[in-house]
Amino acid sequence: MDKKYLSKIIATDNEGLQVISACCSGAEVKVDQIKYLQKNKVFLLSLKRSKVETEEQDKKVTSICKFEFVDRVKSKNIKQNDHEEKLELIGMDYLKNNDNYEINLMFTNNAYITLSTEIIEVTLDDQNKAD
């Protein structure tokens, strides 16, 4: 019997961030699906990704990648007014900068988003079954 379940990965360190980065590599992100909720200190990405952590690698799943305790967001080479623009996520990495972390989301065409945060707390949560 083949089990079908939704994945949820929580990262609180570099190793966990690298696992989420590997799961999201090659994911498609539309600009209008990128949200920074400044009051809540939450940054959200809705992405369409391959289900690499199971045998369903050729299937796509919609996932939410949630970054918590985000103080500041910077972006470069992203047309924020073009809501139909699609970006391809290459990977995620971080730098320790004094008492904060800078988490870098790298996309094709030299586009990136940098998140300044107190701690690493990232959740990758599938929203549907792979199809």
Side-chain angles (χ1 to χ4, degrees), residues 58-101:
D58 59 334
K59 300 189 178 190
K60 298 285 186 180
V61 64
T62 301
S63 300
I64 300 291
C65 194
K66 177 181 173 185
F67 298 82
E68 298 193 62
F69 306 105
V70 176
D71 296 316
R72 192 175 68 243
V73 177
K74 295 187 293 185
S75 67
K76 185 171 182 183
N77 297 328
I78 296 175
K79 299 174 192 159
Q80 296 177 23
N81 294 330
D82 184 358
H83 298 290
E84 294 302 313
E85 182 180 16
K86 293 180 182 175
L87 305 170
E88 182 181 333
L89 183 63
I90 297 171
M92 301 175 197
D93 205 355
Y94 83 96
L95 298 169
K96 180 87 166 130
N97 187 2
N98 297 324
D99 293 333
N100 289 331
Y101 294 94

Short mmCIF file of all heavy atoms in Angstrom, two decimals, residues 58-101:
data_model
loop_
_atom_site.label_atom_id
_atom_site.label_comp_id
_atom_site.label_asym_id
_atom_site.label_seq_id
_atom_site.Cartn_x
_atom_site.Cartn_y
_atom_site.Cartn_z
N ASP A 58 9.16 13.23 -9.92
CA ASP A 58 8.67 13.77 -11.18
C ASP A 58 7.34 14.49 -11.02
O ASP A 58 6.79 15.02 -11.97
CB ASP A 58 8.54 12.65 -12.22
CG ASP A 58 7.58 11.55 -11.77
OD1 ASP A 58 7.42 11.37 -10.55
OD2 ASP A 58 7.01 10.88 -12.64
N LYS A 59 6.82 14.54 -9.79
CA LYS A 59 5.54 15.21 -9.54
C LYS A 59 5.77 16.53 -8.84
O LYS A 59 6.77 16.73 -8.17
CB LYS A 59 4.65 14.30 -8.69
CG LYS A 59 4.36 12.98 -9.40
CD LYS A 59 3.33 12.18 -8.70
CE LYS A 59 3.08 10.91 -9.52
NZ LYS A 59 1.95 10.19 -9.06
N LYS A 60 4.83 17.45 -9.02
CA LYS A 60 4.93 18.78 -8.43
C LYS A 60 3.98 18.93 -7.24
O LYS A 60 2.92 18.33 -7.22
CB LYS A 60 4.58 19.86 -9.46
CG LYS A 60 5.50 19.90 -10.66
CD LYS A 60 6.81 20.51 -10.31
CE LYS A 60 7.66 20.67 -11.57
NZ LYS A 60 8.93 21.26 -11.29
N VAL A 61 4.40 19.73 -6.29
CA VAL A 61 3.59 20.01 -5.11
C VAL A 61 3.70 21.51 -4.81
O VAL A 61 4.74 22.12 -5.05
CB VAL A 61 4.05 19.15 -3.90
CG1 VAL A 61 5.45 19.48 -3.47
CG2 VAL A 61 3.09 19.28 -2.74
N THR A 62 2.62 22.10 -4.33
CA THR A 62 2.64 23.49 -3.89
C THR A 62 3.01 23.51 -2.41
O THR A 62 2.41 22.78 -1.62
CB THR A 62 1.27 24.15 -4.10
OG1 THR A 62 0.95 24.09 -5.50
CG2 THR A 62 1.29 25.61 -3.64
N SER A 63 4.00 24.31 -2.06
CA SER A 63 4.47 24.38 -0.68
C SER A 63 4.58 25.83 -0.25
O SER A 63 4.75 26.74 -1.08
CB SER A 63 5.85 23.72 -0.54
OG SER A 63 5.81 22.37 -0.91
N ILE A 64 4.51 26.05 1.05
CA ILE A 64 4.76 27.36 1.65
C ILE A 64 6.07 27.26 2.41
O ILE A 64 6.26 26.35 3.22
CB ILE A 64 3.64 27.77 2.63
CG1 ILE A 64 2.29 27.85 1.93
CG2 ILE A 64 3.99 29.09 3.33
CD1 ILE A 64 2.14 28.97 0.95
N CYS A 65 6.97 28.17 2.14
CA CYS A 65 8.22 28.27 2.87
C CYS A 65 8.10 29.52 3.76
O CYS A 65 7.96 30.63 3.26
CB CYS A 65 9.39 28.38 1.91
SG CYS A 65 10.97 28.10 2.71
N LYS A 66 8.12 29.29 5.07
CA LYS A 66 7.86 30.36 6.04
C LYS A 66 9.12 30.63 6.87
O LYS A 66 9.67 29.71 7.48
CB LYS A 66 6.72 29.94 6.96
CG LYS A 66 6.38 30.90 8.06
CD LYS A 66 5.24 30.32 8.88
CE LYS A 66 4.93 31.13 10.12
NZ LYS A 66 3.91 30.47 10.94
N PHE A 67 9.56 31.88 6.86
CA PHE A 67 10.71 32.32 7.64
C PHE A 67 10.17 33.19 8.78
O PHE A 67 9.44 34.14 8.51
CB PHE A 67 11.67 33.14 6.79
CG PHE A 67 12.25 32.36 5.63
CD1 PHE A 67 11.54 32.20 4.46
CD2 PHE A 67 13.50 31.78 5.73
CE1 PHE A 67 12.06 31.48 3.39
CE2 PHE A 67 14.04 31.06 4.67
CZ PHE A 67 13.31 30.91 3.51
N GLU A 68 10.57 32.88 10.01
CA GLU A 68 10.06 33.65 11.15
C GLU A 68 11.16 34.53 11.75
O GLU A 68 12.34 34.31 11.52
CB GLU A 68 9.49 32.70 12.20
CG GLU A 68 8.33 31.91 11.61
CD GLU A 68 7.53 31.19 12.67
OE1 GLU A 68 6.96 31.87 13.52
OE2 GLU A 68 7.49 29.95 12.60
N PHE A 69 10.74 35.52 12.53
CA PHE A 69 11.62 36.47 13.22
C PHE A 69 12.46 37.30 12.25
O PHE A 69 13.62 37.59 12.50
CB PHE A 69 12.52 35.74 14.24
CG PHE A 69 11.75 34.91 15.21
CD1 PHE A 69 11.72 33.53 15.09
CD2 PHE A 69 11.01 35.50 16.22
CE1 PHE A 69 10.99 32.75 15.97
CE2 PHE A 69 10.27 34.74 17.11
CZ PHE A 69 10.27 33.36 16.98
N VAL A 70 11.86 37.67 11.11
CA VAL A 70 12.54 38.44 10.07
C VAL A 70 12.40 39.93 10.38
O VAL A 70 11.29 40.45 10.49
CB VAL A 70 11.97 38.11 8.67
CG1 VAL A 70 12.62 38.98 7.61
CG2 VAL A 70 12.16 36.62 8.37
N ASP A 71 13.53 40.61 10.52
CA ASP A 71 13.54 42.04 10.83
C ASP A 71 13.56 42.92 9.58
O ASP A 71 13.03 44.02 9.58
CB ASP A 71 14.75 42.39 11.70
CG ASP A 71 14.69 41.71 13.05
OD1 ASP A 71 13.60 41.70 13.66
OD2 ASP A 71 15.72 41.18 13.49
N ARG A 72 14.21 42.43 8.51
CA ARG A 72 14.38 43.26 7.31
C ARG A 72 14.50 42.36 6.08
O ARG A 72 15.04 41.27 6.16
CB ARG A 72 15.65 44.11 7.47
CG ARG A 72 15.79 45.20 6.45
CD ARG A 72 16.99 46.12 6.72
NE ARG A 72 18.25 45.39 6.51
CZ ARG A 72 19.14 45.16 7.48
NH1 ARG A 72 18.92 45.57 8.69
NH2 ARG A 72 20.24 44.50 7.22
N VAL A 73 14.00 42.86 4.96
CA VAL A 73 14.06 42.13 3.68
C VAL A 73 14.63 43.05 2.62
O VAL A 73 14.21 44.20 2.50
CB VAL A 73 12.65 41.64 3.25
CG1 VAL A 73 12.71 40.96 1.89
CG2 VAL A 73 12.05 40.72 4.29
N LYS A 74 15.60 42.55 1.85
CA LYS A 74 16.15 43.28 0.70
C LYS A 74 16.08 42.36 -0.52
O LYS A 74 16.21 41.15 -0.39
CB LYS A 74 17.62 43.64 0.94
CG LYS A 74 17.86 44.61 2.07
CD LYS A 74 19.32 45.05 2.14
CE LYS A 74 20.21 43.89 2.53
NZ LYS A 74 21.60 44.25 2.73
N SER A 75 15.86 42.97 -1.68
CA SER A 75 15.86 42.17 -2.91
C SER A 75 16.63 42.90 -4.00
O SER A 75 16.81 44.11 -3.95
CB SER A 75 14.43 41.89 -3.36
OG SER A 75 13.80 43.08 -3.78
N LYS A 76 17.07 42.12 -4.99
CA LYS A 76 17.77 42.70 -6.13
C LYS A 76 17.40 41.92 -7.38
O LYS A 76 17.25 40.70 -7.34
CB LYS A 76 19.29 42.63 -5.91
CG LYS A 76 20.07 43.33 -7.00
CD LYS A 76 21.53 43.44 -6.66
CE LYS A 76 22.23 44.19 -7.78
NZ LYS A 76 23.64 44.27 -7.55
N ASN A 77 17.22 42.66 -8.47
CA ASN A 77 16.90 42.09 -9.79
C ASN A 77 15.56 41.35 -9.82
O ASN A 77 15.40 40.37 -10.54
CB ASN A 77 18.03 41.18 -10.28
CG ASN A 77 19.31 41.95 -10.48
OD1 ASN A 77 19.30 43.12 -10.83
ND2 ASN A 77 20.43 41.29 -10.24
N ILE A 78 14.61 41.81 -9.02
CA ILE A 78 13.25 41.26 -9.02
C ILE A 78 12.29 42.40 -9.34
O ILE A 78 12.28 43.41 -8.64
CB ILE A 78 12.90 40.61 -7.66
CG1 ILE A 78 13.82 39.42 -7.40
CG2 ILE A 78 11.43 40.18 -7.64
CD1 ILE A 78 13.66 38.80 -6.05
N LYS A 79 11.50 42.24 -10.40
CA LYS A 79 10.51 43.25 -10.78
C LYS A 79 9.28 43.07 -9.90
O LYS A 79 8.39 42.29 -10.22
CB LYS A 79 10.16 43.12 -12.25
CG LYS A 79 11.33 43.32 -13.18
CD LYS A 79 10.94 43.03 -14.61
CE LYS A 79 12.18 42.97 -15.47
NZ LYS A 79 11.94 42.24 -16.70
N GLN A 80 9.23 43.79 -8.79
CA GLN A 80 8.17 43.59 -7.82
C GLN A 80 6.80 44.01 -8.32
O GLN A 80 5.78 43.54 -7.79
CB GLN A 80 8.52 44.32 -6.53
CG GLN A 80 9.76 43.74 -5.88
CD GLN A 80 10.18 44.49 -4.64
OE1 GLN A 80 9.37 45.15 -4.00
NE2 GLN A 80 11.44 44.37 -4.29
N ASN A 81 6.72 44.86 -9.33
CA ASN A 81 5.43 45.28 -9.88
C ASN A 81 4.90 44.32 -10.93
O ASN A 81 3.74 44.42 -11.32
CB ASN A 81 5.54 46.69 -10.46
CG ASN A 81 5.81 47.72 -9.38
OD1 ASN A 81 5.39 47.55 -8.24
ND2 ASN A 81 6.52 48.78 -9.72
N ASP A 82 5.75 43.42 -11.42
CA ASP A 82 5.33 42.43 -12.42
C ASP A 82 4.86 41.18 -11.69
O ASP A 82 5.63 40.26 -11.42
CB ASP A 82 6.50 42.10 -13.35
CG ASP A 82 6.10 41.16 -14.47
OD1 ASP A 82 4.93 40.72 -14.50
OD2 ASP A 82 6.96 40.86 -15.31
N HIS A 83 3.57 41.14 -11.36
CA HIS A 83 3.02 40.06 -10.55
C HIS A 83 3.00 38.71 -11.26
O HIS A 83 2.85 37.68 -10.62
CB HIS A 83 1.61 40.41 -10.07
CG HIS A 83 1.59 41.63 -9.21
ND1 HIS A 83 2.11 41.64 -7.95
CD2 HIS A 83 1.15 42.88 -9.44
CE1 HIS A 83 1.98 42.85 -7.41
NE2 HIS A 83 1.40 43.63 -8.31
N GLU A 84 3.17 38.72 -12.57
CA GLU A 84 3.18 37.47 -13.33
C GLU A 84 4.59 36.92 -13.51
O GLU A 84 4.75 35.79 -13.99
CB GLU A 84 2.51 37.66 -14.70
CG GLU A 84 1.02 37.96 -14.59
CD GLU A 84 0.26 36.86 -13.84
OE1 GLU A 84 0.45 35.67 -14.13
OE2 GLU A 84 -0.53 37.22 -12.94
N GLU A 85 5.60 37.69 -13.14
CA GLU A 85 6.99 37.23 -13.30
C GLU A 85 7.22 35.97 -12.47
O GLU A 85 6.81 35.88 -11.31
CB GLU A 85 7.99 38.30 -12.88
CG GLU A 85 9.42 37.85 -13.08
CD GLU A 85 10.46 38.87 -12.66
OE1 GLU A 85 10.15 39.83 -11.94
OE2 GLU A 85 11.61 38.67 -13.06
N LYS A 86 7.87 34.99 -13.10
CA LYS A 86 8.18 33.74 -12.42
C LYS A 86 9.68 33.68 -12.19
O LYS A 86 10.48 33.99 -13.08
CB LYS A 86 7.73 32.55 -13.25
CG LYS A 86 6.22 32.46 -13.36
CD LYS A 86 5.78 31.28 -14.18
CE LYS A 86 4.28 31.27 -14.31
NZ LYS A 86 3.80 30.22 -15.19
N LEU A 87 10.04 33.28 -10.99
CA LEU A 87 11.44 33.12 -10.62
C LEU A 87 11.71 31.64 -10.37
O LEU A 87 10.82 30.91 -9.95
CB LEU A 87 11.74 33.90 -9.33
CG LEU A 87 11.40 35.39 -9.34
CD1 LEU A 87 11.53 35.95 -7.93
CD2 LEU A 87 12.31 36.13 -10.29
N GLU A 88 12.95 31.22 -10.58
CA GLU A 88 13.33 29.86 -10.26
C GLU A 88 14.33 29.91 -9.11
O GLU A 88 15.39 30.53 -9.22
CB GLU A 88 13.96 29.15 -11.45
CG GLU A 88 14.32 27.72 -11.15
CD GLU A 88 14.98 27.00 -12.32
OE1 GLU A 88 14.72 27.38 -13.47
OE2 GLU A 88 15.75 26.06 -12.05
N LEU A 89 13.98 29.29 -8.01
CA LEU A 89 14.83 29.28 -6.82
C LEU A 89 15.99 28.31 -7.03
O LEU A 89 15.77 27.14 -7.33
CB LEU A 89 14.01 28.86 -5.59
CG LEU A 89 14.73 28.88 -4.25
CD1 LEU A 89 15.18 30.29 -3.88
CD2 LEU A 89 13.81 28.33 -3.16
N ILE A 90 17.20 28.81 -6.89
CA ILE A 90 18.39 27.97 -7.04
C ILE A 90 18.74 27.34 -5.70
O ILE A 90 19.05 26.15 -5.61
CB ILE A 90 19.59 28.79 -7.55
CG1 ILE A 90 19.30 29.33 -8.93
CG2 ILE A 90 20.86 27.95 -7.55
CD1 ILE A 90 20.33 30.33 -9.42
N GLY A 91 18.69 28.14 -4.63
CA GLY A 91 19.04 27.60 -3.32
C GLY A 91 18.98 28.66 -2.24
O GLY A 91 18.66 29.83 -2.50
N MET A 92 19.31 28.24 -1.02
CA MET A 92 19.31 29.12 0.15
C MET A 92 20.63 28.94 0.90
O MET A 92 21.17 27.83 0.94
CB MET A 92 18.18 28.76 1.11
CG MET A 92 16.82 28.83 0.53
SD MET A 92 15.61 28.24 1.75
CE MET A 92 14.23 27.93 0.67
N ASP A 93 21.10 30.01 1.47
CA ASP A 93 22.31 29.96 2.27
C ASP A 93 22.21 31.05 3.32
O ASP A 93 21.30 31.88 3.28
CB ASP A 93 23.53 30.17 1.39
CG ASP A 93 24.79 29.57 1.99
OD1 ASP A 93 24.75 29.07 3.13
OD2 ASP A 93 25.83 29.59 1.30
N TYR A 94 23.13 31.07 4.25
CA TYR A 94 23.09 32.13 5.26
C TYR A 94 24.49 32.58 5.63
O TYR A 94 25.48 31.87 5.40
CB TYR A 94 22.34 31.66 6.52
CG TYR A 94 23.21 30.87 7.48
CD1 TYR A 94 23.82 31.51 8.55
CD2 TYR A 94 23.42 29.52 7.30
CE1 TYR A 94 24.63 30.80 9.43
CE2 TYR A 94 24.21 28.81 8.18
CZ TYR A 94 24.82 29.45 9.23
OH TYR A 94 25.63 28.75 10.09
N LEU A 95 24.56 33.77 6.18
CA LEU A 95 25.79 34.33 6.74
C LEU A 95 25.48 34.80 8.14
O LEU A 95 24.41 35.34 8.39
CB LEU A 95 26.27 35.53 5.92
CG LEU A 95 26.65 35.31 4.47
CD1 LEU A 95 26.84 36.64 3.76
CD2 LEU A 95 27.92 34.49 4.38
N LYS A 96 26.42 34.62 9.04
CA LYS A 96 26.28 35.17 10.40
C LYS A 96 26.87 36.57 10.35
O LYS A 96 27.99 36.78 9.93
CB LYS A 96 27.04 34.28 11.39
CG LYS A 96 26.96 34.74 12.80
CD LYS A 96 25.74 34.17 13.47
CE LYS A 96 25.87 34.38 14.97
NZ LYS A 96 24.75 34.95 15.59
N ASN A 97 26.07 37.57 10.76
CA ASN A 97 26.49 38.96 10.71
C ASN A 97 26.27 39.56 12.10
O ASN A 97 25.14 39.91 12.45
CB ASN A 97 25.69 39.71 9.64
CG ASN A 97 26.17 41.12 9.42
OD1 ASN A 97 27.13 41.55 10.04
ND2 ASN A 97 25.49 41.83 8.55
N ASN A 98 27.34 39.66 12.88
CA ASN A 98 27.27 40.09 14.28
C ASN A 98 26.32 39.18 15.04
O ASN A 98 26.55 37.98 15.12
CB ASN A 98 26.87 41.56 14.39
CG ASN A 98 27.90 42.47 13.75
OD1 ASN A 98 29.09 42.21 13.82
ND2 ASN A 98 27.45 43.54 13.13
N ASP A 99 25.22 39.72 15.57
CA ASP A 99 24.27 38.89 16.33
C ASP A 99 23.11 38.39 15.48
O ASP A 99 22.23 37.69 15.99
CB ASP A 99 23.71 39.70 17.51
CG ASP A 99 24.77 40.00 18.54
OD1 ASP A 99 25.74 39.23 18.64
OD2 ASP A 99 24.64 41.02 19.25
N ASN A 100 23.09 38.74 14.20
CA ASN A 100 21.98 38.35 13.32
C ASN A 100 22.46 37.40 12.22
O ASN A 100 23.66 37.24 12.00
CB ASN A 100 21.35 39.58 12.68
CG ASN A 100 20.55 40.39 13.67
OD1 ASN A 100 20.02 39.86 14.63
ND2 ASN A 100 20.48 41.68 13.44
N TYR A 101 21.49 36.81 11.55
CA TYR A 101 21.75 35.98 10.38
C TYR A 101 21.21 36.69 9.16
O TYR A 101 20.21 37.39 9.24
CB TYR A 101 21.05 34.62 10.50
CG TYR A 101 21.57 33.76 11.62
CD1 TYR A 101 20.98 33.77 12.87
CD2 TYR A 101 22.66 32.93 11.40
CE1 TYR A 101 21.46 32.97 13.89
CE2 TYR A 101 23.16 32.12 12.42
CZ TYR A 101 22.55 32.15 13.66
OH TYR A 101 23.03 31.36 14.66
#
